[in-house]
Amino acid sequence: MIGRVLIGLMLAGLGCAAAGLALLVARGAEPGGIEEAWLLFGPPDLGAVDFPTLRRASLPVDALACPPDHCRAAASDLAPPVFPVPGERLRAIVEAVAAEMPRTEPVFHARWAEEDRYVARSALLRRPTTVSAAIIGAGEGRSTLALYARSQGPLPDLGGNRARLARWLERIAARAEAP
């Protein structure tokens, strides 16, 4: 008898939690929505990255695309190519690609360095991911870049950040190769 009551209470609690989550998701970016729930883990912009000394997250919540000689302390998931455009042009291309991405907004544009940050949100739960981009010179009229995407909170991203960076690199490459 007591076991059935406990099971009933647990099911009722799970039902209430599911209903609460559904309400948060339904409200989305509105006040009292899921975006405010993510604030429990801190601000959506996770801050600056120093690529040469970067240490990857201990949880599977990040992805890195970096030339091997630039990110010496972290293993890269993807190797960005050297693009046939100068750094200033590559930075503008990255900015344009970020603007095309759904639910992505710029949050930081360095004035004296070629580094920018964007916050991208997942479609359903609107989980914030900070995407840091740094342009790296690669000789006369050529450049490459480092991209680091890290999601907020302890939930694994299930490969979403790696896929995000792969999409960004594909679109950046297409624009850099275009006349």
Side-chain angles (χ1 to χ4, degrees), residues 17 46 48 50 115 148:
L46 297 176
D50 181 34
E115 296 180 10
Y148 184 49

Side-chain angles (χ1 to χ4, degrees), residues 7-21:
I7 290 173
L9 288 174
M10 286 175 35
L11 290 175
L14 286 173
C16 287
L21 180 60

Side-chain angles (χ1 to χ4, degrees), residues 91-124:
R91 188 176 189 186
I93 290 170
V94 171
E95 190 174 352
V97 166
E100 292 174 354
M101 298 295 175
R103 300 169 307 280
T104 300
E105 61 183 338
V107 291
F108 177 79
H109 187 76
R111 185 178 218 165
W112 309 115
E114 292 188 290
E115 296 180 10
D116 302 305
R117 282 193 313 276
Y118 305 89
V119 169
R121 294 186 179 276
S122 63
L124 180 61

Side-chain angles (χ1 to χ4, degrees), residues 20-36 124 126:
L21 180 60
L23 180 62
L24 286 173
V25 169
R27 293 190 67 129
E30 295 177 21
I34 192 74
E35 282 191 24
E36 285 188 6
L124 180 61
R126 299 191 56 82

Side-chain angles (χ1 to χ4, degrees), residues 30-121:
E30 295 177 21
I34 192 74
E35 282 191 24
E36 285 188 6
W38 286 113
L39 290 175
L40 294 172
F41 296 102
D45 177 14
L46 297 176
V49 171
D50 181 34
F51 284 99
T53 62
L54 172 67
R55 300 256 184 230
R56 300 282 302 269
S58 58
L59 297 171
V61 297
D62 68 350
L64 176 65
C66 191
D69 58 332
H70 191 71
C71 297
R72 297 179 294 274
S76 185
D77 298 307
L78 302 162
V82 173
F83 300 99
V85 295
E88 186 177 315
R89 174 77 180 116
L90 183 58
R91 188 176 189 186
I93 290 170
V94 171
E95 190 174 352
V97 166
E100 292 174 354
M101 298 295 175
R103 300 169 307 280
T104 300
E105 61 183 338
V107 291
F108 177 79
H109 187 76
R111 185 178 218 165
W112 309 115
E114 292 188 290
E115 296 180 10
D116 302 305
R117 282 193 313 276
Y118 305 89
V119 169
R121 294 186 179 276

Side-chain angles (χ1 to χ4, degrees), residues 122-134:
S122 63
L124 180 61
L125 295 179
R126 299 191 56 82
R127 181 182 187 185
T129 294
T130 301
V131 180
S132 299

